[in-house]
Structures are given as C-alpha cells and as structure tokens.
Amino acid sequence: MTTHGRITLPIQEGLDDVIPGVLERLGADAVRNSDGTWLPESVSDLAAKVYETYFVARGDQAWALAHRDERTSVYLQSNRTSALSADALDLRVMDGYFSDQVEPDIACDTARWWQVIDRTTGDVLSSDQWEVSGEGADVTVTIARPTAHHVYTVNFLARQTWDSTQMYNYLTNGWQDDPTRVKEQPYDARYPATWEHMREGLQEWLDVHPQVDVVRFTTFFYHFTLVFDDQARERFVDWFGYSASVSVPAMEEFERETGIALTAEDFVDEGYYNSPFRVPSTTFKEWIAFQHRFVTARVKDLVDLTHADGKEAMMFLGDNWIGTEPYGPHFAATGIDAVVGSVGSAATCRMISDIPGVRYTEGRLLPYFFPDVFHEGGAPAVEARESWAAARRAIVRSPLDRIGFGGYLSLALEHPDFMDVIEGICQEFRDIHKASNGSRPAVADFSVGIVNAWGQLRSWQTHMVAHALWYQHTYSYVGLLEALAGLPFTVKFLSFDDIREGVPEDVGVLINAGGAGTAFSGGPEWLDVDVQAAVRRFVATGGGLIGVGEPTAATWGGATLQLSDVFGVDREVGWSLSTTRYTVEDRDHWILAGTGGTFDRGQGVGAVSAPADGATVLQFRDSSVDLAVNFYGQGRAVYAAGLPYSADNARVLHRAIYWAAGRETQADHLGWSSDPRVECAWYPNTRQVFAYNSTADAVRTVLSGPFPEREIEVPGYQSVWIDAQ
C-alpha cells in the first residue's frame, strides 16, 4: 500500500501533464528545481510543498560585471619550475589552469599578497627579486637572479571568473551550445556593497516568489576548492578546502582580530592547500573559526529575512558550504530550519542525519538525474539499489527526516526500471518511520570515540577527498566509518585536546585510524606525553583501544607506533631489519567467529610485526600483521592493517568493539544475525526487530537477541519487520 510524505521530487518545465501522476506514485509531498532547471507555472496547483533553489553569491551577472573587484578569490600555486641556469627565470602562473575559471589578480598589492618561494630551500624571495608582467592567462612572474637548479613556485591570488558549481554542471551536461546559459561569476559577501546587494536581492526574490515554501540555499558564500586544468578537467578537488574563501578585506580583518599577518603560503601550504589529511596548523584552524563566525552571522541575517517572509530556510550541504561547518560552534545560531545533502554512503548519510540544531534533515539519494548516469546503456536502477542499501544502514541508526532526488525528472522517466526501484525505496523509507514510531533502535551502553586532529568539526567526514568518492589511499579507512555508521553504537568524534586530560568517561572504546603523518592518525600529536599517558591510563584501567593502519604513528624513542606497547605491534621502517621476529597465528579468536575466518585488510600498510611477548596475531600475510589483539593492564587493544567496508568487515569491527570493551557476552543483547550480510536493529519500545539485507543475494539467517530466536530469509536488498511481542 502506497502512503505519502517525506519525499522531495525534482520537477521541471514541460512535464506538467505527468508530474501529478509521478508525485502520487512516489508519495512525494514536496517538489524542487535543480541547478539549470525551472519550476513549471503549474507548481502552485500541486498539493505539495515547494522548494526553490536560491544562489546567494551568483546569478546576478550585471552586478558581477559591474563590480569585478568584488568577485570571490582563490589562492593558487604555479607549477613547480626548475631554474636551469642563473639567468632570469619566467614563471607563467596560469600554466595548467583553466583560464575560463580564474584569472590572476594583478590589481591587488602583489608584493604583499603574492609570494615567490624557492621550494628547494623553503626561502621566500623578497618582492624586489621578482616582478609581474602581462595580463590574464599570460601573467608572468620573472625572477631576475634565480639559483641554478633550484625549484621555484609562485603563490598567487586569483579572481574567480566562473562559479565552480555552474562550471561543473555546464561542462558535465554539455551546455556549451545553449545560448541562453551565461557563465556566472561569483561575488564576495566580504565587500559591504556586495553584501547589501545580497540582502536586497534575497528580499526582492522573496517578494516575487510567493509560491515558494522552502528557500533551498545552495549554499551561501564560499565554494569548496574545485580547480580545473587547462583541458577543462578537475585538477584539484577538496570538499573541505578553504582556499576559495580568501579576499584581501578578509585577510586584513583577520589580522586585526587575531594579530596574525597572513601570507599566501598559509593557504597554498606547499601545494597541499591545507587538505584535511594535513595536521592543521594553528593559523589554519584560526582561519576556519574566523570564517565560521563571519559566515554564520551573515547566514542568520538571510535566514531571518526568509522567516519574516513566512518561509523555511534550508541549506544544501555542498557547493558554497565553506564557513557553514554544520558541527561548528555557531551553526545552530543561524536558525536554519533544515539541512539537505547528497547521500553517497552510510557515512555521508550520518554526516547529515546527526547534524545538531536543525528541525529536520533530508538526504538527496543517488544517482542524480544527470546524463552521466541516465543514458542509453546506463544502469541507474542498479546504482539506486546499491545507494539505498548503504543509506538504509545509517538511516536505521540515525534517521533522516526526509529523502529526495535531484536533477532532470525527464531523464529518470526514460528509465522505467529505475522508477520502479525508487517507488519501492520511497515506500520503505516511510515504512521505517512508521514502524519505529519515532524511536531509535537500542545501542550499547558505552560510546565509541574516534580521535583525530579535527575532532567534532569533522564528524563523519574523515578520509574524504571529494564527497563520497572512492580513492585507493583512503578506502581502507573510509570503510571504518562506513561500518560504524550502521552499527549499534553511539559514536563521538574527539580531538586530541578532548583527550589530553583524559578520555571522556562515557567512552568505552577509543579508535585511532589513519596513515602516518596524517591528521587522522595524528602525527606529532602523539609525541605529546600527556596524550600518550591519557590513552595508556584509559586502557590500563579497563578501556578498549582500536587502531587501524598506522595509529599513533610518530617515529620516536625506538618505536614508530607510539602506543606499540598497548597494541603489541609496531611498524618496521627499515631501521630494525636485523631483529628477528617470530609470528604464530591464532585464527580461532572470538573476533573472527562467523566471518569466514579471513579478514580483508584492504590496501593495508605492510611491515607490521609483533614481538614474541607482544600481541596475539589473528592474521599474518605477506610477512605483515593484518589483525592482532593485545591485553594491556585491565584493558584490551585491537590492531587492523586496514578496514575497507564489507559485510564481513563490519561484523569484524562489531565484534572487535565488544571484545576491546571486554563485553563479548553482551554482543547479541541488541539483536544479532548469524549471517553478517543481514543486519538487524532491536526496538525495545515497540518490541520489533528490523532485519535488512545490504547485498544483492538472498540470505537465510538466524536472528537472536532479547527475543525468541528465529530463522528467516531476506531477498537481495530487501528488509523485513518482525513483531517480537
């Protein structure tokens, strides 16, 4: 039986006759437009809430062209160039960059805001050692007397001449031949005149859009770092990047507030652009906090205007989201009613659904209705099933209030099998809400803490490069979050400051996961004796510690993993190859029970060994420890060389957490499936069990827990509710 509600559907002009039927079929109660589409005039006649996209920092091309010096800016680094002699060296700063997207800002005080750096020595050249010439794509920096065979770069400030999101959509959808589409230039709220124009523009828009119920801000002022190369391809993408949040007025105000005189290198960061994988500098963390204060204050003003017009304010978690960190200290003060974001995995779903301080959250499910998926020979129905299976694991634990889709409905309608699939997804989502009756399933009586250099600010956001995309170097770590997102634990994200004086009392198991030197492992933070002592004390007094990859890595004092004594393993860096080590496997350990006996380490790290008096090794391959356990005082530790997501690995992590906490006997108290491909959630308030299959295979499994044991079969990607009254 089809019920209605909790679904947002993208619609567009030209589909007036079919839209009502599609809304009824999917049970959708809200409609929206997408970037590049417009709502039909008949939208007011639909019995649905109306969302409309609003762009704060782009869309008024006349304003952008009349205020070229108030466009948004970005810091970039020129290509590394070697001086082959001591003769004058020319560096064309735009080589390798897309000239339609950015242009060097030669109107600013280049001596102050640009930098030329000898990357061989790290020295910054004084401004009298170089000069700038040319315009646009031909801007050149000439170093009069370089040191032969040294490498040089230019850190330069550039104006954005094309909005990053519109550029991406433009190129992805082949809009080049559409004369009605203008390449929109973004403008910066830091400039008083532009800020007032933004406020006035929103008010005017509100006045002429009475049919809109929800203003879907997409998003606000500063885009994440998305830079294209001279072939119009992605060159650098950092979904968390702040390199495009800069401007001369902002940097001058930052110095007045903090006393810190910023340089271009504070943003260029040797070409790493303060990637979230870098342990953040104090200055960069100050910049994030500074922009967060500014952006959230301005956002509150826009939200107040929206509320005064009787409309809701919704923020899209993407595009120009920089400064609106949803787990930042000032986000709730904006008054935003809702956050909507793209759900590419269970972890990204939790990133949205766990956001505090909003009335409701909404997930935009994949695939997006764009030609890159919806074309002849494409398989959008397959992607939809897989996307839903991943999202559902998270939704069960931390429910989204709504789900929806984006893009061109006309493309989706060309794939009837896809429409069949999403009809079932929409209904199952509503069924979960109805059956759970607003309650959440039971969770363990202790929390799991994840410690890294970012802490709460990056809740459910670790090891991402671009939002929810797969990368060889990260999948073994992202899998940890992906598994946790669907497990029955309260998860907390902690910074090293949060544990320096001691691990919080409600945390039963602490996790540190990441590569050596990254923000997620912690790098130099592990050389702090207070941090080391706090974690050792926590484990010695009965706590659990889980490390993945190169946890606590900071080579010092004869160890690579600073808590190698706790883990019972260490990583060989080539300095102690003369030491002989003997390894015996124990594959019958409780942690591996019911998982096929083989653990998938993913990419792993290699060269991890355990001394004879160290950890118990559960899996040893290619002369390296994949999985091991150790006792330390009254507590326990687990080491894994990697943890890509799979049903079996999620089960291994599930069991590892209970083992590390010393609570193996409680593992099935919240519901347990004998086959890890089917997971279950126990709702004590309603005495119901929800069992769901996240794979394409039909699975027969035995459910046990605080209810009578029973055997069930769950078809591929399907689910079942069981009344355990």
Side-chain angles (χ1 to χ4, degrees):
M1 175 182 174
T2 301
T3 58
H4 294 80
R6 298 188 181 275
I7 307 297
T8 304
L9 184 71
I11 62 174
Q12 63 194 88
E13 292 177 315
L15 299 176
D16 300 57
D17 293 340
V18 301
I19 288 173
V22 177
L23 290 175
E24 178 65 25
R25 179 182 179 185
L26 301 184
D29 61 339
V31 296
R32 55 161 289 208
N33 69 320
S34 300
D35 189 14
T37 68
W38 291 265
L39 294 171
E41 292 184 4
S42 63
V43 68
S44 299
D45 300 327
L46 301 174
K49 182 180 285 189
V50 177
Y51 299 8
E52 185 151 0
T53 299
Y54 187 79
F55 301 100
V56 176
R58 68 168 167 112
D60 189 337
Q61 194 70 351
W63 180 268
L65 294 176
H67 298 79
R68 293 178 182 272
D69 57 347
E70 299 189 7
R71 291 172 295 176
T72 55
S73 300
V74 59
Y75 260 125
L76 300 172
Q77 177 184 266
S78 69
N79 291 336
R80 294 167 61 91
T81 304
S82 177
L84 301 182
S85 70
D87 295 335
L89 176 65
D90 291 335
L91 293 90
R92 287 171 51 89
V93 301
M94 282 293 291
D95 281 356
Y97 289 108
F98 190 33
S99 60
D100 281 13
Q101 182 187 12
V102 294
E103 65 179 18
D105 184 0
I106 57 176
C108 75
D109 182 357
T110 56
R112 169 67 182 91
W113 300 113
W114 291 30
Q115 283 180 309
V116 177
I117 298 180
D118 181 336
R119 292 297 180 185
T120 305
T121 64
D123 294 334
V124 178
L125 276 62
S126 62
S127 59
D128 60 4
Q129 294 178 274
W130 50 273
E131 64 178 14
V132 181
S133 61
E135 295 182 353
D138 296 322
V139 168
T140 299
V141 169
T142 301
I143 304 171
R145 290 180 296 278
T147 301
H149 310 300
H150 283 210
V151 172
Y152 293 88
T153 65
V154 179
N155 295 342
F156 65 102
L157 194 62
R159 293 287 189 183
Q160 292 189 262
T161 54
W162 196 357
D163 176 80
S164 299
T165 291
Q166 201 222 19
M167 176 189 66
Y168 176 86
N169 290 339
Y170 194 105
L171 298 173
T172 299
N173 294 300
W175 293 346
Q176 293 88 332
D177 298 326
D178 186 344
T180 67
R181 299 190 185 276
V182 176
K183 296 179 180 179
E184 297 177 354
Q185 301 190 23
Y187 28 88
D188 193 342
R190 274 285 173 183
Y191 297 94
T194 290
W195 166 238
E196 285 305 313
H197 180 72
M198 288 176 173
R199 293 184 76 259
E200 293 169 1
L202 174 61
Q203 186 60 67
E204 292 173 3
W205 185 90
L206 293 170
D207 291 343
V208 298
H209 287 79
Q211 78 279 13
V212 173
D213 303 294
V214 180
V215 181
R216 187 180 182 274
F217 289 100
T218 312
T219 310
F220 292 101
F221 312 128
Y222 304 114
H223 205 283
F224 64 85
T225 308
L226 174 61
V227 180
F228 274 43
D229 69 10
D230 52 5
Q231 302 298 310
R233 302 170 303 190
E234 292 180 3
R235 171 169 170 155
F236 184 87
V237 184
D238 178 4
W239 200 65
F240 307 93
Y242 272 71
S243 297
S245 71
V246 297
S247 67
V248 170
M251 292 185 286
E252 290 174 338
E253 179 62 26
F254 180 82
E255 184 175 357
R256 285 191 290 270
E257 285 192 20
T258 67
I260 300 172
L262 293 166
T263 68
E265 184 67 1
D266 289 317
F267 297 95
V268 169
D269 182 34
E270 300 178 344
Y272 299 110
Y273 299 102
N274 294 299
S275 152
F277 289 80
R278 298 272 280 172
V279 176
S281 67
T282 299
T283 296
F284 185 56
K285 288 191 289 186
E286 289 273 9
W287 177 260
I288 290 176
F290 167 77
Q291 286 293 57
H292 182 60
R293 292 192 298 271
F294 170 79
V295 170
T296 52
R298 291 287 192 269
V299 168
K300 184 180 187 308
D301 201 350
L302 299 180
V303 169
D304 288 347
L305 289 175
T306 304
H307 287 168
D309 200 67
K311 305 183 192 310
E312 295 179 9
M314 171 181 278
M315 181 187 100
F316 174 58
L317 185 56
D319 297 358
N320 295 56
W321 78 287
I322 296 303
T324 55
E325 301 277 0
Y327 293 93
H330 305 295
F331 181 75
T334 62
I336 287 173
D337 298 285
V339 173
V340 59
S342 178
V343 176
S345 62
T348 54
C349 188
R350 289 293 295 269
M351 175 183 68
I352 301 163
S353 63
D354 282 12
I355 291 173
V358 294
R359 291 197 298 110
Y360 63 98
T361 57
E362 181 171 322
R364 190 190 70 194
L365 300 185
L366 295 178
Y368 202 72
F369 303 171
F370 263 11
D372 56 340
V373 176
F374 289 83
H375 57 80
E376 186 176 351
V382 174
E383 185 173 339
R385 289 189 188 95
E386 294 173 348
S387 174
W388 171 244
R392 182 176 57 192
R393 294 185 64 248
I395 288 168
V396 169
R397 299 297 170 187
S398 179
L400 292 166
D401 297 292
R402 303 182 57 85
I403 59 172
F405 302 90
Y408 305 143
L409 179 60
S410 56
L411 290 178
L413 294 176
E414 294 174 2
H415 295 260
D417 59 334
F418 172 77
M419 295 302 296
D420 291 342
V421 169
I422 65 170
E423 179 181 2
I425 288 171
C426 293
Q427 188 57 50
E428 185 178 8
F429 178 71
R430 287 188 292 266
D431 290 344
I432 291 172
H433 273 275
K434 181 179 179 181
S436 63
N437 196 29
S439 64
R440 293 193 179 189
V443 295
D445 60 1
F446 61 90
S447 297
V448 174
I450 297 180
V451 62
N452 57 49
W454 291 106
Q456 180 179 319
L457 190 70
R458 293 280 179 262
S459 295
W460 297 107
Q461 298 166 28
T462 70
H463 292 97
M464 293 182 188
V465 179
H467 181 64
L469 296 185
W470 190 95
Y471 288 86
Q472 180 73 30
H473 284 280
T474 65
Y475 80 103
S476 296
Y477 299 118
V478 171
L480 171 73
L481 282 192
E482 190 68 7
L484 270 178
L487 295 182
F489 301 105
T490 299
V491 180
K492 292 188 171 183
F493 291 82
L494 306 171
S495 70
F496 289 97
D497 287 339
D498 294 329
I499 68 168
R500 212 174 301 276
E501 301 299 322
V503 176
E505 291 184 1
D506 64 325
V507 172
V509 175
L510 190 67
I511 298 177
N512 181 232
T518 66
F520 305 120
S521 176
E525 291 283 3
W526 289 109
L527 298 180
D528 186 323
V529 295
D530 291 335
V531 170
Q532 289 189 32
V535 179
R536 285 194 179 97
R537 183 169 60 250
F538 166 71
V539 181
T541 55
L545 178 65
I546 295 177
V548 181
E550 297 173 286
T552 76
T555 302
W556 175 260
T560 297
L561 308 185
Q562 286 303 299
L563 296 187
S564 59
D565 54 322
V566 181
F567 290 117
V569 302
D570 200 6
R571 179 140 196 271
E572 174 62 69
V573 293
W575 295 349
S576 56
L577 292 176
S578 299
T579 301
T580 303
R581 299 176 176 88
Y582 303 93
T583 303
V584 178
E585 287 183 293
D586 175 12
R587 288 183 172 271
D588 295 325
H589 196 275
W590 184 86
I591 286 177
L592 289 175
T595 63
T598 300
F599 171 67
D600 179 8
R601 70 179 182 193
Q603 187 175 11
V605 294
V608 177
S609 60
D613 59 348
T616 299
V617 178
L618 310 189
Q619 184 168 293
F620 188 77
R621 289 189 304 167
D622 303 325
S623 301
S624 186
V625 174
D626 286 348
L627 188 65
V629 298
N630 195 42
F631 291 91
Y632 183 84
Q634 299 174 43
R636 301 174 177 185
V638 179
Y639 170 79
L643 206 148
Y645 175 74
S646 68
D648 280 342
N649 272 7
R651 177 57 56 86
V652 169
L653 179 63
H654 196 166
R655 297 179 75 92
I657 290 172
Y658 273 109
W659 186 88
R663 307 192 189 195
E664 304 98 301
T665 59
Q666 299 177 17
D668 64 352
H669 286 189
L670 305 179
W672 195 265
S673 164
S674 62
D675 191 313
R677 292 174 295 176
V678 169
E679 294 174 286
C680 65
W682 166 240
Y683 292 82
N685 291 348
T686 60
R687 302 289 300 175
Q688 291 191 99
V689 184
F690 183 52
Y692 41 101
N693 182 354
S694 297
T695 72
D697 303 321
V699 176
R700 181 168 291 277
T701 187
V702 176
L703 301 183
S704 58
F707 45 81
E709 185 176 289
R710 67 193 68 199
E711 184 176 12
I712 63 171
E713 181 169 337
V714 186
Y717 295 129
Q718 299 303 304
S719 61
V720 61
W721 285 91
I722 300 169
D723 191 343
Q725 296 286 351

